[in-house]
Amino acid sequence: MTLDNIREEINKANTIVILTHETPDGDAIGSSMAMYNSLKQLNKEVDLIIPEYADTFKFLPNSKEIKKEGRKDVYDLAIALDCGDIKRLNGFAKYFEDAKVTINIDHHSSNTMFADYNFVNPDAPATCQILILVLEHLKINITKEIGTCLLTGIITDTGGFKYAATTAETFEFTAWLLGIGVNVADTYKRVLEIKTRSNFELTKIAENRIEFLEEGKISYTYITKEDENRVNAKQGDHEGLVNIGREIKGVEVSVLLREDKQGYKVSLRSNNYVNVADICVLFGGGGHIRAAGCLLHTNLQDAKDKIINEIKKHLR
Amino acid sequence: MTLDNIREEINKANTIVILTHETPDGDAIGSSMAMYNSLKQLNKEVDLIIPEYADTFKFLPNSKEIKKEGRKDVYDLAIALDCGDIKRLNGFAKYFEDAKVTINIDHHSSNTMFADYNFVNPDAPATCQILILVLEHLKINITKEIGTCLLTGIITDTGGFKYAATTAETFEFTAWLLGIGVNVADTYKRVLEIKTRSNFELTKIAENRIEFLEEGKISYTYITKEDENRVNAKQGDHEGLVNIGREIKGVEVSVLLREDKQGYKVSLRSNNYVNVADICVLFGGGGHIRAAGCLLHTNLQDAKDKIINEIKKHLR
């Protein structure tokens, strides 16, 4: 059984590297930090490599120890967390490929099973929720610190316990975390609620531009590079903008276009029936049925036309 | 013990009236509807009287049976839910006062204990959470329908599991509700997430007007009657506007002024240390330490000056 193999390989290894996907969100950082703190508990020589991440997550216990580069010699073991594809390993796939043994723990249904041992559960709402089982199997003492890391991923990827993928285990584990003294409300606030001023300014811009199309079933808005520069946006400041439209009564698909070096990044969210992953796949992207994205190498008007025309075909 | 008295009185009564506070929120309606459906299960002749409430809650099972007026003759028993003071009973205090026996089930710390039997727990995050215990004591079978009503109040009053008052029981009960088939994600969306177009338009207005004062520790905004008329606002459409400021990094106190027939209603929210109830009490209002309100019988500029000057004294 994969879990037994994972335990054996971790027990055997002395030097371990932990990697996660590029532009890491709360589940990527939370699961990586939970694994890092757990392996420290097992007295391993462990490096967690994340070149850049949002300030939001700097409150996580021991996040100061996150490194930008790994060691020169080959690691005994590499563990990828919350990463569906080796190409998304922050540009640090070399540490993974060079390692003697590799493990991949994830919840993306598109996971390419790129490691020696792959523990992938697409039904789990977060990689952090999968880690509960893994850490128990490793006989890790889930401390307040490790619990806070796990909760960070759970809160991020369930949208604060609100998405349909949230399970009874999500709620039971959170109750248990409260019992061991984890400050759930504080973690929630830090991870999901507190907006930077730049994010607030981008929100205003995106809101003021929202158009409702097809009898209000589509909401459309965009932000440009110039907008982001003007409000001094940093990594993560555009997070959540695509949700503005999704939350308005009658909207089935919310569209956000965000200017990128190569064109416009498209983010789609749907509420009830449109499979937005299907739409994004047509344009070389992908994702989940209610949340997906793609990149269009064109100008704003053309990107808007292309994506809206495709969405229209899916509306009832 | 009060719970035994409550059970006895409910068992003895034939005709029962349920009442809740004016401009009812999700906990008021959810707890009232949960009690209504439970008493129906006990084959009681029960009336739930709520003259007006937001469309948001029309999805609650049997909400069509909510009445605007009660019967002419005296009820055997009156139950007030989520109501701290008899004056707030929707203007229907007469049904309560005339009833042969009265019960008051609530979680407001300011509860005036106005009934024959008062079951008040200020530590509970929602009246609906108190009802779990009450309904178990009444041997009610908590069906999916009753569970959905309870969840509505819990989601409303915990802000979707995010406020610090949320307890392990909140999460455990929600896990249990998932187990009996309650659609938690759908309830969350209906209660907390879906905004009306009018609410969205008011949000834009309030956001575009936000001022950051005292080095960003205070956020201030307002909406007028004219704004509400222009966007066709209905009951409940201004809900949540005061939270916009509270969620921005660095803000300690968020202020919303909302024009009213008699002047400006003040809503205050704080994040970490300012006791906004203390501030509102000075102006004849009240509330909780992190969420409070009052009414200022004056014009916009004067209302703003008065409240901001008072808040300044509390900032660190």
Side-chain angles (χ1 to χ4, degrees):
Chain A
M1 171 180 159
T2 310
L3 267 184
D4 293 325
N5 295 328
I6 289 175
R7 186 179 52 195
E8 269 168 45
E9 295 299 340
I10 287 176
N11 284 340
K12 269 198 312 205
N14 186 29
T15 61
I16 304 178
V17 63
I18 299 171
L19 301 161
T20 188
H21 69 74
E22 57 196 353
T23 56
D25 61 5
D27 195 29
I29 306 233
S31 60
S32 303
M33 283 301 311
M35 183 56 89
Y36 177 83
N37 287 313
S38 298
L39 295 181
K40 280 279 174 190
Q41 201 181 94
L42 296 178
N43 295 311
K44 299 293 176 184
E45 281 185 45
V46 52
D47 287 338
L48 167 54
I49 306 176
I50 304 177
E52 207 185 347
Y53 60 97
D55 287 353
T56 313
F57 302 111
K58 300 224 156 124
F59 80 102
L60 287 176
N62 299 325
S63 62
K64 285 190 306 293
E65 296 172 21
I66 293 176
K67 293 188 174 154
K68 287 184 191 297
E69 286 286 338
R71 52 172 68 201
K72 296 266 183 290
D73 50 330
V74 165
Y75 286 95
D76 295 338
L77 177 65
I79 305 176
L81 288 157
D82 197 42
C83 184
D85 193 317
I86 195 166
K87 290 179 206 140
R88 297 195 66 214
L89 283 181
N90 256 326
F92 288 110
K94 60 172 176 171
Y95 295 114
F96 197 86
E97 285 162 342
D98 291 349
K100 292 178 196 159
V101 180
T102 58
I103 292 172
N104 158 25
I105 301 173
D106 184 36
H107 75 128
H108 291 89
S109 58
S110 56
N111 194 292
T112 58
M113 304 291 175
F114 52 86
D116 297 327
Y117 301 101
N118 301 286
F119 194 66
V120 176
N121 176 6
D123 289 334
T127 296
C128 278
Q129 188 161 320
I130 299 175
L131 275 193
I132 302 168
L133 192 67
V134 176
L135 299 185
E136 278 169 0
H137 210 76
L138 290 169
K139 306 247 188 292
I140 298 294
N141 170 25
I142 298 186
T143 58
K144 254 168 70 168
E145 288 69 31
I146 295 171
T148 302
C149 297
L150 294 175
L151 183 65
T152 293
I154 288 172
I155 286 174
T156 302
D157 270 20
T158 61
F161 311 104
K162 81 178 163 202
Y163 299 148
T166 313
T167 67
E169 193 193 0
T170 316
F171 290 106
E172 279 157 10
F173 182 66
T174 308
W176 182 83
L177 289 178
L178 270 172
I180 64 163
V182 171
N183 193 332
V184 175
D186 179 67
T187 308
Y188 190 117
K189 208 186 261 184
R190 288 175 185 274
V191 171
L192 222 54
E193 208 182 23
I194 298 292
K195 294 180 173 193
T196 61
R197 281 282 277 277
S198 301
N199 176 263
F200 174 67
E201 295 302 328
L202 287 180
T203 302
K204 280 204 296 191
I205 293 168
E207 282 187 357
N208 286 322
R209 281 181 189 152
I210 275 192
E211 289 173 50
F212 296 97
L213 309 167
E214 299 298 298
E215 299 167 317
K217 290 177 190 167
I218 302 175
S219 73
Y220 163 81
T221 191
Y222 66 94
I223 50 169
T224 64
K225 278 228 150 297
E226 197 192 317
D227 298 328
E228 296 201 51
N229 291 337
R230 188 155 48 82
V231 305
N232 233 323
K234 292 193 188 138
Q235 188 170 354
D237 278 336
H238 66 282
E239 294 288 345
L241 297 180
V242 67
N243 289 317
I244 299 167
R246 195 181 62 86
E247 292 175 7
I248 297 165
K249 203 169 176 173
V251 171
E252 172 56 24
V253 182
S254 166
V255 184
L256 171 74
L257 299 190
R258 180 178 171 232
E259 192 178 1
D260 182 78
K261 274 173 244 158
Q262 310 161 64
Y264 277 85
K265 277 192 175 172
V266 181
S267 295
L268 301 185
R269 297 291 182 273
S270 67
N271 270 317
N272 296 308
Y273 61 89
V274 173
N275 185 332
V276 289
D278 281 354
I279 296 170
C280 289
V281 163
L282 285 178
F283 298 105
H288 308 275
I289 57 169
R290 300 276 170 265
C294 58
L295 174 65
L296 297 179
H297 299 264
T298 182
N299 62 43
L300 182 64
Q301 187 59 48
D302 188 50
K304 177 185 173 183
D305 292 345
K306 281 203 168 77
I307 203 79
I308 299 289
N309 282 334
E310 191 54 41
I311 294 169
K312 278 184 190 172
K313 298 179 194 163
H314 294 254
L315 292 177
R316 282 181 198 154
Chain B
M1 168 180 160
T2 310
L3 268 185
D4 293 324
N5 295 327
I6 288 174
R7 185 178 52 195
E8 269 169 43
E9 294 301 340
I10 286 176
N11 285 340
K12 268 198 314 204
N14 187 29
T15 61
I16 304 179
V17 62
I18 299 171
L19 301 161
T20 188
H21 69 72
E22 58 196 353
T23 56
D25 61 6
D27 195 29
I29 306 235
S31 60
S32 302
M33 282 302 311
M35 182 57 91
Y36 177 82
N37 286 314
S38 299
L39 295 181
K40 280 278 174 189
Q41 200 180 96
L42 297 177
N43 296 311
K44 299 294 176 183
E45 282 185 41
V46 53
D47 288 338
L48 166 55
I49 306 175
I50 305 177
E52 208 183 349
Y53 62 95
D55 286 352
T56 312
F57 302 111
K58 300 223 156 127
F59 80 102
L60 288 176
N62 299 324
S63 63
K64 286 190 306 291
E65 296 172 22
I66 293 176
K67 292 188 174 155
K68 288 185 189 299
E69 286 287 338
R71 52 172 68 200
K72 296 266 183 293
D73 50 331
V74 165
Y75 286 94
D76 295 339
L77 177 65
I79 305 176
L81 288 158
D82 197 43
C83 183
D85 192 318
I86 195 165
K87 290 178 204 140
R88 297 194 67 214
L89 283 179
N90 256 326
F92 289 110
K94 60 173 177 172
Y95 295 115
F96 197 85
E97 285 163 340
D98 291 349
K100 291 176 196 162
V101 180
T102 59
I103 292 172
N104 157 26
I105 300 173
D106 185 35
H107 75 128
H108 290 88
S109 57
S110 56
N111 194 292
T112 59
M113 303 291 175
F114 52 85
D116 297 328
Y117 301 101
N118 302 286
F119 193 67
V120 176
N121 177 7
D123 290 333
T127 295
C128 278
Q129 188 161 321
I130 300 176
L131 275 193
I132 302 168
L133 193 66
V134 176
L135 299 185
E136 277 170 0
H137 210 77
L138 290 169
K139 307 246 188 292
I140 297 295
N141 170 24
I142 299 186
T143 58
K144 253 167 71 168
E145 289 69 31
I146 294 172
T148 302
C149 297
L150 294 175
L151 183 65
T152 294
I154 287 171
I155 287 174
T156 302
D157 270 21
T158 61
F161 310 105
K162 82 177 163 204
Y163 297 148
T166 312
T167 66
E169 193 193 0
T170 316
F171 289 107
E172 280 157 9
F173 183 67
T174 307
W176 183 83
L177 289 178
L178 271 172
I180 64 163
V182 170
N183 193 331
V184 175
D186 180 68
T187 308
Y188 190 114
K189 206 186 261 185
R190 288 173 184 275
V191 170
L192 223 55
E193 210 183 20
I194 298 292
K195 294 179 172 194
T196 62
R197 282 281 276 276
S198 302
N199 175 266
F200 174 67
E201 295 302 329
L202 287 181
T203 302
K204 280 205 295 193
I205 294 169
E207 282 187 355
N208 286 323
R209 281 181 190 151
I210 276 193
E211 289 173 50
F212 297 97
L213 308 168
E214 300 296 299
E215 298 165 318
K217 290 177 189 167
I218 301 176
S219 73
Y220 163 81
T221 192
Y222 65 93
I223 50 168
T224 65
K225 277 225 149 300
E226 198 193 314
D227 298 327
E228 295 200 50
N229 292 337
R230 188 155 46 84
V231 305
N232 235 322
K234 293 194 187 139
Q235 188 169 352
D237 278 335
H238 67 283
E239 294 289 345
L241 297 181
V242 68
N243 288 319
I244 299 168
R246 194 180 63 83
E247 292 174 8
I248 299 166
K249 202 169 177 176
V251 171
E252 171 58 23
V253 182
S254 165
V255 184
L256 171 74
L257 299 189
R258 180 178 171 231
E259 193 177 2
D260 181 78
K261 274 174 240 156
Q262 309 160 66
Y264 278 85
K265 278 192 175 170
V266 181
S267 294
L268 300 185
R269 296 291 182 274
S270 67
N271 270 317
N272 295 308
Y273 61 90
V274 173
N275 184 330
V276 288
D278 281 356
I279 295 171
C280 289
V281 162
L282 285 177
F283 298 105
H288 307 275
I289 58 169
R290 300 277 170 265
C294 58
L295 175 64
L296 296 178
H297 299 266
T298 182
N299 63 43
L300 183 64
Q301 187 59 48
D302 189 50
K304 177 185 174 184
D305 292 345
K306 280 202 169 77
I307 203 79
I308 299 289
N309 282 333
E310 191 53 41
I311 293 168
K312 279 184 190 173
K313 297 178 196 166
H314 295 253
L315 292 177
R316 282 180 198 153

